[in-house]
Amino acid sequence: MPEVRIEHISKHYGDAPVLHDFSLTIHDGEFFTLLGPSGCGKTTLINLVAGLDHIDSGEIYFDERQVSTLSPKDRDVAMVFQSYALYPHKTVAENLAFPLRVNKQPKAKIESEVRRVSALLGLAGLLEKKPAEISGGERQRVALGRALIREPAVFLMDEPLSNLDAQLRVQTRAEIKQLHRTLKRTTIYVTHDQDEALSLSDRLAVMDRGEVIQVGTPEEIYRAPAHLTVAKFIGSPQMNMIPGRLMPGTPLQVDVGSTHIAVCSSELPEQSMEPEPREVIVGLRPEDIRVQQASKGQGARVLDIEHTGSRVWVDLVWGDHRVKALAAGDLSITRDQLVALDIDPTCLHLFDTRSGDRLP
Amino acid sequence: MRSGWQRSLLLPLCVTVVLSWSLLPIAWQVTTSLKPNAELLSLPPLFPSAPTTEHYRVLFEEQSFHQSLINSAVVSVLTTVAALVIGALAAFPLARLRIAGKGMFLGVVLAASMFPAIVTVGPLFVIIRALGLRDTWWALVISHTSFALPLTIWILTNFMRELPDDLYRAARVDGCTPWQAFIYIFVPLCRPGFAAAAILVFLFSWTEFLFALTFTATEASRTIPVAIVLFPGIHEIPWGEMAAASVIVTVPVFVLVALFHKHIVLGLTAGAVKG
């Protein structure tokens, strides 16, 4: 399985630059996700890797092989499309067999491969059906099978789950993960769904406006988002963003409206010890703020309570800000009640107000 | 809201008017073709007193009408095949590939189809004579194909545009060259488009008169529309034979339209609604 190296590529559509001097390395056998809002260039990137589009400049390597100018059939990639893109005039079996048939494989091999893949994906009963006659989930698996059958060097998936309903999506997600564990193919997966990205990936790249903002394991990206954009994009419910001031002194304190929070980070650099207060954005994940019965001190007013089954989220007005926080299931609170907030100071994320960069 | 009886009366009335308008002349031809010579120019009787197939017999036994039939069939079929093959090869890149000036090309194609045939018949005649194709099937196949192509290209381009982009991309990733994607995926999926275009081109070529009259000289290549017009002799106009020939030439048209009317509508409205 090759390592995929994308080196300094640029792509413009008309006058609009989509990718500019873009570089990224995807390791051998890795499940790598491109995560970002629509229009961030992730689909363009996967098309360029597949060879469905020409790059304006830069190079793509599969190991030492330069593939930038090769046509898709010479790159040994397979792709699963969001729309599945099954051939409507062919049966499931013919759809699965198509990549092998185009490749002029012997008939016997095609038949045994179709049998193998359909067994792997539980499609054996559907082989004679046309795509229009099977369900969305089944179509999805046929699309996967058609990509699998050729045993490609690189696997590309362009939002393969976004047309499925919620339950099926979670189930298929698990199947994809299982498949990757078995086959160990280098996989590039495109999605705008952070849950998919976090649960599937070995590593992921968070993209925005044609740039990679952060690359890392799901854990790293969740624990230490490198930029405000990443922080906003990862985590559900979304991270609370509160403008504040980093006060000099020991211990460091963040001044948030009427309250101060001590910062227990030993990693804050010396420069933040500068005498002047510094404008920052304080990021607090809702799950890191605990709602407690008020005794005194930090007061926040309950705006709304949202039960999601396992968890109870509470919308609060805290000073001049609205925040979301987590309440213990057995806590009895009502709207407009005043509550206290318990904040773990190790879980603070600080970002520079101007650049949006994380303050370590 | 119109009351019920007005509504229920209006539709049948309109249908009757339209049907009469289009079917009565055909009915007239049919009855004329069956009338004995004596009754041809008289009314009554409206229907032949003793229907006869005499005119049909004369057509085939004395007029060598079958040669015209063969000419028409060969020219129409070859024209249809040529127009579809060339049209599809033009439509695929126009619909799928990135080509500069695509829109302008389609515009020019459309403009070309606006030329009245009579404007081009003179120059075409000179060309065809220079090529030594006068009085051959090829003279008609080439001129008919060139006139049928704009419509064919438009129909097929619209059809291929309707196919999801991802199908083409999937085919490419699955290992197809653009040509293989065209043959394995696009051609089969555009069957309705091909059917619609085929019928329209066939009917055009089958009934085309001006080129057929100009480029043919003898029975060797004369098609039916021309043959019918050339029936009248110096002393008499054989109305019976002409009517019989008209009936024969209409039959394939009827059959085709009856079999494929769905495709015709589909082909003409392709691109209008996503489906």
Side-chain angles (χ1 to χ4, degrees):
Chain A
M1 303 312 106
E3 170 185 85
V4 177
R5 284 205 319 283
I6 296 159
E7 297 189 347
H8 309 292
I9 61 170
S10 297
K11 177 71 190 171
H12 301 247
Y13 286 119
D15 289 336
V18 183
L19 297 169
H20 182 68
D21 195 22
F22 186 98
S23 298
L24 193 63
T25 301
I26 291 132
H27 301 154
D28 175 11
E30 181 173 53
F31 197 113
F32 192 91
T33 301
L34 302 170
L35 175 67
S38 50
C40 73
K42 56 193 194 300
T43 295
T44 302
L45 187 61
I46 208 172
N47 282 339
L48 294 176
V49 174
L52 290 169
D53 229 332
H54 300 285
I55 30 183
D56 297 340
S57 63
E59 260 102 55
I60 298 176
Y61 293 91
F62 290 177
D63 283 338
E64 295 315 311
R65 197 160 64 106
Q66 220 262 52
V67 298
S68 320
T69 54
L70 297 181
S71 78
K73 74 184 177 67
D74 297 323
R75 295 194 186 193
D76 198 15
V77 296
M79 186 151 168
V80 180
F81 295 86
Q82 178 178 1
S83 63
Y84 316 140
L86 300 180
Y87 309 122
H89 59 301
K90 294 178 181 292
T91 63
V92 167
E94 287 165 349
N95 265 286
L96 291 175
F98 188 69
L100 299 181
R101 262 192 51 212
V102 172
N103 244 330
K104 304 269 188 301
Q105 300 286 329
K107 238 190 172 130
K109 189 191 170 195
I110 296 180
E111 272 173 31
S112 73
E113 286 298 293
V114 167
R115 239 175 293 130
R116 179 182 68 86
V117 167
S118 55
L120 183 69
L121 293 165
L123 294 168
L126 305 171
L127 288 178
E128 296 313 313
K129 298 221 162 128
K130 291 270 173 72
E133 301 167 321
I134 61 180
S135 72
E138 288 162 346
R139 277 178 220 171
Q140 219 291 324
R141 276 183 301 178
V142 177
L144 267 178
R146 190 177 63 184
L148 281 174
I149 199 160
R150 226 159 25 121
E151 310 206 337
V154 178
F155 231 140
L156 307 173
M157 303 195 192
D158 187 3
E159 312 224 5
L161 302 182
S162 53
N163 282 359
L164 298 177
D165 63 51
Q167 202 181 354
L168 212 50
R169 199 178 307 167
V170 174
Q171 186 189 330
T172 314
R173 196 161 84 191
E175 284 172 18
I176 289 180
K177 190 164 193 174
Q178 185 58 44
L179 277 174
H180 178 256
R181 208 172 287 146
T182 323
L183 302 170
K184 298 196 172 54
R185 306 271 146 179
T186 307
T187 303
I188 305 179
Y189 187 100
V190 163
T191 185
H192 62 265
D193 182 316
Q194 48 150 324
D195 285 340
E196 274 172 31
L198 293 176
S199 66
L200 282 169
S201 321
D202 294 323
R203 287 194 311 148
L204 64 149
V206 182
M207 291 178 66
D208 189 41
R209 281 178 233 152
E211 311 227 337
V212 166
I213 303 174
Q214 189 175 10
V215 181
T217 65
E219 173 83 11
E220 285 164 7
I221 286 183
Y222 181 83
R223 284 287 153 225
H227 192 271
L228 262 181
T229 323
V230 181
K232 276 182 192 159
F233 206 71
I234 299 283
S236 170
Q238 209 184 53
M239 184 186 276
N240 297 300
M241 304 281 182
I242 307 162
R245 295 193 316 165
L246 187 62
M247 306 301 280
T250 324
L252 273 176
Q253 280 197 328
V254 185
D255 191 355
V256 184
S258 51
T259 39
H260 309 280
I261 310 170
V263 180
C264 294
S265 174
S266 54
E267 294 161 20
L268 273 177
E270 289 300 317
Q271 73 210 32
S272 64
M273 301 292 198
E274 64 201 76
E276 291 297 307
R278 185 171 177 179
E279 299 293 325
V280 293
I281 301 279
V282 181
L284 275 169
R285 293 207 183 274
E287 55 268 40
D288 295 331
I289 312 177
R290 296 279 168 166
V291 175
Q292 294 184 331
Q293 293 291 0
S295 45
K296 58 180 174 61
Q298 294 178 347
R301 192 165 52 83
V302 177
L303 264 185
D304 207 353
I305 304 163
E306 186 187 340
H307 292 267
T308 59
S310 58
R311 293 182 145 184
V312 182
W313 300 107
V314 186
D315 282 314
L316 302 148
V317 178
W318 183 36
D320 303 331
H321 312 292
R322 288 190 56 165
V323 298
K324 211 175 191 79
L326 188 64
D330 53 357
L331 189 73
S332 77
I333 43 174
T334 54
R335 262 198 265 180
D336 288 330
Q337 185 186 338
L338 277 178
V339 293
L341 301 181
D342 178 18
I343 294 165
D344 180 354
T346 60
C347 297
L348 279 187
H349 305 272
L350 296 181
F351 302 96
D352 187 87
T353 304
R354 261 167 300 148
S355 67
D357 288 333
R358 179 185 186 83
L359 303 176
Chain B
M1 202 57 192
R2 272 167 207 280
S3 63
W5 70 268
Q6 272 178 317
R7 208 178 239 276
S8 62
L9 209 64
L10 205 59
L11 182 67
L13 195 72
C14 291
V15 171
T16 312
V17 169
V18 170
L19 282 184
S20 314
W21 173 266
S22 46
L23 288 184
L24 277 182
I26 294 168
W28 188 263
Q29 291 288 9
V30 173
T31 54
T32 305
S33 76
L34 296 174
K35 275 179 176 179
N37 272 329
E39 290 175 3
L40 272 178
L41 296 176
S42 59
L43 199 70
L46 183 57
F47 297 103
S49 53
T52 169
T53 55
E54 172 65 13
H55 302 303
Y56 292 90
R57 192 192 61 76
V58 172
L59 270 187
F60 286 101
E61 288 183 7
E62 292 169 23
Q63 301 268 11
S64 66
F65 186 65
H66 55 274
Q67 184 58 44
S68 305
L69 255 181
I70 293 172
N71 293 338
S72 266
V74 170
V75 166
S76 305
V77 168
L78 286 181
T79 299
T80 308
V81 171
L84 288 195
V85 170
I86 301 171
L89 289 176
F92 177 66
L94 285 172
R96 273 306 136 186
L97 307 183
R98 261 181 316 226
I99 299 169
K102 244 199 275 196
M104 203 176 77
F105 184 86
L106 277 169
V108 170
V109 165
L110 191 66
S113 71
M114 304 285 180
F115 273 101
I118 193 77
V119 175
T120 59
V121 78
L124 268 176
F125 182 80
V126 175
I127 293 171
I128 278 167
R129 198 177 46 185
L131 291 172
L133 293 176
R134 197 159 170 251
D135 203 23
T136 65
W137 288 336
W138 298 110
L140 294 184
V141 170
I142 292 169
S143 56
H144 286 181
T145 303
S146 69
F147 257 76
L149 264 178
L151 179 73
T152 317
I153 291 175
W154 269 85
I155 290 181
L156 293 179
T157 304
N158 278 337
F159 245 87
M160 295 194 185
R161 268 206 198 125
E162 294 277 292
L163 296 179
D165 208 24
D166 276 354
L167 280 181
Y168 177 67
R169 307 198 307 142
R172 291 302 308 275
V173 174
D174 280 345
C176 288
T177 60
W179 171 253
Q180 286 172 317
F182 170 68
I183 293 294
Y184 291 139
I185 307 299
F186 278 72
V187 170
L189 286 178
C190 285
R191 261 199 313 231
F194 281 111
I199 291 163
L200 294 170
V201 173
F202 183 88
L203 293 185
F204 159 73
S205 177
W206 183 255
T207 55
E208 200 281 330
F209 177 70
L210 184 59
F211 293 155
L213 178 68
T214 317
F215 302 150
T216 63
T218 66
E219 265 172 15
S221 67
R222 199 173 279 153
T223 56
I224 303 173
V226 182
I228 294 176
V229 170
L230 295 182
F231 278 167
I234 303 169
H235 301 296
E236 53 148 12
I237 298 176
W239 291 114
E241 279 80 28
M242 291 170 74
S246 309
V247 171
I248 291 173
V249 82
T250 314
V251 168
V253 177
F254 258 107
V255 172
L256 278 178
V257 173
L259 286 179
F260 296 108
H261 67 279
K262 249 190 223 158
H263 290 307
I264 297 177
V265 176
L266 211 64
L268 292 178
T269 57
V273 190
K274 200 139 179 122

